[in-house]
């Protein structure tokens, strides 16, 4: 239920600090452990989940249904344990927003934005739909009559096609659709299918000509594959490893890959579309996930392993060959500005909460690093215009926590008394908080407290730095964000104005992504 006041409050980076306490550190450790276990299970079992869903639709044996019930109960138990360090509570939290109404409110994102400007959602049936940011012109892209369960749609950069992972009883595939203006589902193009090496992640090349994707590989490894976006050529295996992360160069001809997680045999290299190394053994990878290629391809960013288990943020200038070290950290998550040579990053301790930490900004031209937020940031996403960064923190439930039902619109956030922990599920208390910060002025705005969907929490959020490269949550004009939330027991996709104000409900769905055009 929406409240009477819009949740849009100015933040001050100098004030966003937390005092550590043993009790709340334990709660945060519990949260991280549970999320980590669920993530591992989801990665290993993503195709298994789809297997059960499709098989249930095909009304197979009683043993399949029983296995599904066991898997679902196990997942529910893990999520419940994250909140049981506190006393039992009442109903799930809802969005803290404005105006109690089930209809979209007046301050929707503008509909007259040039280009595609559409949102793809995964509905409750595992099917793909697209619609405008106002909820109009809704189209069914896939058809559940095909008994295929779809996940994580990603728009091609030119906005002409949508690629999506599809799973069925016999295996998994990569499907490409056009977002046609028709009431009938689009004609599916199956560009890849395998019974054993099932895909689970997709990333378009910047020129929209190729799809790189991860698939299960032999010996519990992952295979990085590439295929023509129209399926005109067979897929090609470029590299193997576990885990595997990468970023495309702007020309779509090379990939900066990172395989492994802080081990001596891990790989950090620049390869071409044939899998040949253009620059091999760039460094001994430190503890990080996705590497980054700056806009214009001049700079590469990654973490390099140091003695004592630490990692150092390194920028490589491909024009001069300079290998420039910066911050020394325990672990690192990073993302380049889409418009300038500025790098946002968070860092944490390997033993504690890897990749969670204060949000910082490095200006490569000056070498200056400054703090944008001292909160414990779980994930962050650049706006397309490079002016702002949206970031996710753990929701707050102490007396300084701000909720639209009780707080004035412009109340400033004070110093908090404890480290954030998994919030108790009570009315008015939430799991996560969405905020935004202007990278030039450092001024921040707290946009929304929300309970995330399970897909967002367990599959998207832990790998946000990789998904930020391939799946867009920002509108093309940088004026709004799309977010999947859990509201009154229903998975709902909402559009959140980036300048503050009332979010509006778009449609029911597990997760959603915006077109880049």
């Amino acid at each position: 239920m929406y409240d009477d006041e819009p949740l849009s409050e100015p933040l001050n980076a100098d004030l966003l600090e937390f005092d550590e306490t043993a009790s709340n550190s334990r709660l945060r450790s519990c949260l991280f452990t549970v999320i980590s276990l669920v993530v591992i299970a989801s990665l290993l079992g993503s195709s298994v989940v789809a297997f059960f869903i499709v098989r249930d639709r095909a009304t197979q044996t009683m043993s399949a249904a029983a296995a599904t019930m066991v898997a679902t109960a196990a997942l529910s138990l893990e999520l419940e344990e994250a909140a049981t360090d506190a006393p039992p509570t009442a109903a799930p939290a809802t969005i803290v927003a404005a105006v109690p109404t089930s209809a979209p409110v007046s301050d929707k994102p503008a509909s007259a934005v040039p280009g595609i400007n559409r949102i793809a959602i995964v509905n409750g049936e595992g099917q793909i739909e697209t619609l405008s940011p106002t909820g109009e012109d809704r189209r069914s892209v896939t058809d559940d009559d095909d008994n295929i369960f779809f996940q994580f749609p990603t728009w091609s950069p030119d906005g002409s096609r949508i690629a999506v992972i599809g799973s069925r009883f016999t295996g998994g595939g990569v499907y490409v659709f056009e977002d046609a203006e028709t009431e009938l589902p689009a004609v599916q193009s199956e560009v890849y299918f395998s019974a054993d090496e099932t895909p689970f992640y997709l990333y378009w090349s910047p020129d929209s000509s190729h799809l790189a994707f991860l698939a299960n590989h032999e010996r519990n490894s992952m295979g990085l594959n590439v295929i023509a976006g129209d399926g005109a050529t067979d897929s090609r295996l470029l590299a193997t490893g576990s885990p595997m992360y990468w970023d495309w160069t702007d020309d779509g001809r090379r990939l900066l890959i990172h395989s492994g997680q802080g081990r001596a045999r891990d790989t950090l290299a620049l390869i071409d579309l044939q899998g040949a190394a253009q620059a091999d053994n760039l460094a001994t990878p430190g503890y990080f996930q996705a590497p980054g290629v700056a806009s214009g391809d001049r700079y590469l960013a990654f973490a390099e392993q140091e003695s004592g288990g630490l990692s150092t943020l390194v920028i490589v200038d491909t024009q001069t060959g300079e290998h420039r070290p910066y911050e020394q950290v325990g672990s690192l998550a990073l993302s380049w500005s889409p418009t300038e040579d500025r790098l946002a990053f968070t860092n944490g301790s390997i033993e504690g909460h890897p990749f969670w930490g204060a949000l910082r900004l490095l200006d490569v031209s000056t070498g200056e690093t400054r703090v944008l937020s001292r909160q414990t940031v779980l994930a962050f996403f650049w706006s397309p215009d490079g002016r702002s960064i949206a970031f996710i923190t753990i929701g707050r439930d102490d007396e300084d926590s701000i909720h639209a039902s009780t707080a004035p619109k412009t109340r400033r956030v004070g110093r908090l008394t404890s480290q954030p922990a998994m919030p108790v599920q009570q009315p008015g208390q939430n799991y996560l908080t969405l905020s935004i910060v202007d990278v030039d002025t450092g001024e921040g705005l707290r946009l929304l407290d929300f309970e995330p969907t399970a897909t967002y929490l367990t599959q998207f959020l832990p790998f946000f730095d990789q998904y930020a490269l391939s799946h867009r949550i920002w509108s093309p004009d940088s004026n709004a964000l799309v977010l999947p939330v859990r509201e009154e027991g229903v998975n709902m996709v909402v559009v959140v104005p980036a300048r503050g104000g009332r979010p509006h409900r778009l449609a029911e769905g597990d997760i959603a992504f915006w077109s880049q055009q």
Side-chain angles (χ1 to χ4, degrees):
M1 182 67 68
Y2 288 121
D3 298 317
D4 292 332
E5 297 290 341
L7 181 58
S8 53
E9 308 181 26
L11 307 180
N12 186 317
D14 293 332
L15 296 177
L16 299 178
E17 301 181 12
F18 302 98
D19 296 328
E20 296 282 355
T21 66
S23 174
N24 284 307
S25 295
R26 180 172 60 83
L27 289 172
R28 290 178 66 244
S29 297
C30 176
L31 169 61
F32 178 76
T33 301
V34 171
I35 290 177
S36 300
L37 291 174
V38 175
V39 168
I40 293 171
S42 66
L43 281 177
L44 295 177
S46 59
S47 60
V48 177
V49 172
F51 167 83
F52 284 126
I53 291 174
V54 172
R55 186 162 65 177
D56 284 344
R57 289 179 180 173
T59 62
Q60 296 293 317
T61 64
M62 288 289 290
S63 61
T68 303
M69 292 174 64
V70 170
T72 303
L75 177 59
S76 299
L77 179 59
E78 288 176 328
L79 293 175
E80 288 171 5
E81 288 174 350
T84 53
D85 279 345
T89 59
T94 58
I95 302 171
V96 178
V99 187
T101 173
S102 59
V105 295
S106 59
D107 58 349
K108 300 174 183 177
S111 58
V113 177
I116 306 300
N117 195 31
R118 291 183 64 77
I119 296 170
I121 67 172
V122 180
N123 65 27
E125 299 299 319
Q127 302 303 308
I128 308 300
E129 299 179 64
T130 67
L131 62 171
S132 74
T134 62
E136 301 169 323
D137 192 18
R138 190 165 179 169
R139 307 169 189 169
S140 294
V141 177
T142 61
D143 188 350
D144 57 6
D145 289 343
D146 294 327
N147 285 324
I148 304 176
F149 175 77
F150 294 98
Q151 304 174 74
F152 285 93
T154 177
W155 294 85
S156 61
D158 63 12
S160 64
R161 289 169 292 177
I162 301 171
V164 62
I165 300 294
S167 301
R168 63 174 78 200
F169 178 73
T170 54
V174 177
Y175 300 84
V176 177
F177 303 90
E178 292 185 1
D179 185 27
E181 296 184 19
T182 174
E183 295 182 358
L184 298 176
V187 177
Q188 70 182 35
S189 174
E190 185 182 87
V191 299
Y192 171 87
F193 186 85
S194 175
D196 302 313
E197 298 182 353
T198 52
F200 54 88
Y201 171 75
L202 302 172
Y203 181 8
W204 283 96
S205 63
D207 61 3
S208 302
S209 63
H210 290 85
L211 268 169
F213 65 93
L214 287 179
N216 293 307
H217 198 65
E218 58 187 12
R219 298 179 182 177
N220 296 320
S221 184
M222 301 177 185
L224 172 58
N225 303 265
V226 68
I227 194 170
D230 58 4
T233 61
D234 292 335
S235 65
R236 183 184 304 112
L237 180 65
L238 302 183
T240 60
S242 181
M244 176 76 72
Y245 307 93
W246 76 96
D247 193 7
W248 286 95
T249 58
D250 280 354
D251 59 12
R253 297 178 181 178
R254 294 168 297 169
L255 303 89
L256 177 62
I257 67 169
H258 168 222
S259 172
Q261 196 79 290
R263 296 182 295 269
R265 64 180 182 275
D266 294 346
T267 300
L268 187 60
L270 194 64
I271 64 174
D272 63 18
L273 294 180
Q274 305 301 317
Q278 302 295 300
D280 202 4
N281 299 320
L282 292 172
T284 300
Y287 200 77
F288 77 112
Q289 293 186 153
V293 181
S295 177
D297 293 347
R298 177 171 179 176
Y299 297 106
L300 312 178
F302 50 83
E304 184 174 13
Q305 189 178 65
E306 299 289 347
S307 60
L310 294 176
S311 299
T312 296
L313 170 61
V314 171
I315 306 295
V316 173
D317 187 332
T318 61
Q319 292 184 5
T320 66
E322 182 181 8
H323 189 99
R324 193 182 310 166
Y326 287 92
E327 302 279 327
Q328 191 174 68
V329 296
S331 58
L332 187 71
L334 58 88
S335 179
W336 284 103
S337 163
T339 59
E340 299 179 86
D341 294 328
R342 298 199 285 188
L343 184 78
F345 66 95
T346 57
N347 60 274
S349 63
I350 298 176
E351 295 79 12
H353 310 285
F355 321 121
W356 296 7
L359 179 61
R360 294 177 167 85
L361 182 69
L362 167 66
D363 189 325
V364 176
S365 63
T366 65
E368 176 189 4
T369 299
R370 56 191 176 90
V371 176
L372 295 178
S373 173
R374 288 188 172 87
Q375 292 192 67
T376 301
V377 174
L378 279 62
F380 58 92
F381 308 89
W382 282 94
S383 63
D385 62 12
R387 297 178 180 177
S388 304
I389 296 177
F391 61 95
I392 304 292
T393 56
I394 298 176
R396 305 186 297 275
D397 62 350
D398 66 296
E399 61 181 356
D400 283 321
S401 163
I402 300 172
H403 299 289
S405 58
T406 59
K409 299 179 185 178
T410 58
R411 179 180 172 185
R412 194 172 289 275
V413 177
R415 181 179 174 87
L416 302 182
T417 59
S418 62
Q419 191 76 341
M422 171 66 87
V424 179
Q425 283 191 296
Q426 293 178 345
Q429 295 181 334
N430 306 275
Y431 283 129
L432 303 176
T433 296
L434 171 67
S435 302
I436 188 173
V437 62
D438 185 302
V439 296
D440 291 322
T441 67
E443 294 180 354
L445 198 64
R446 177 175 163 223
L447 298 177
L448 185 70
D449 290 341
F450 68 99
E451 178 186 350
T453 63
T455 299
Y456 184 88
L457 181 67
T458 63
Q459 297 184 49
F460 178 80
L461 202 60
F463 306 103
F464 79 91
D465 47 350
Q466 183 67 53
Y467 276 109
L469 299 171
S470 55
H471 293 67
R472 181 72 58 81
I473 67 170
W474 279 90
S475 64
D477 61 6
S478 300
N479 284 335
L481 300 102
V482 65
L483 193 67
V485 303
R486 186 81 176 159
E487 186 185 24
E488 297 180 351
V490 177
N491 288 349
M492 183 71 64
V493 174
V494 299
V495 172
V496 185
R499 293 183 176 88
R502 301 172 180 86
H504 76 270
R505 300 177 181 89
L506 191 64
E508 292 186 13
D510 296 334
I511 203 160
F513 301 104
W514 222 305
S515 63
Q516 298 185 34
Q517 300 289 332

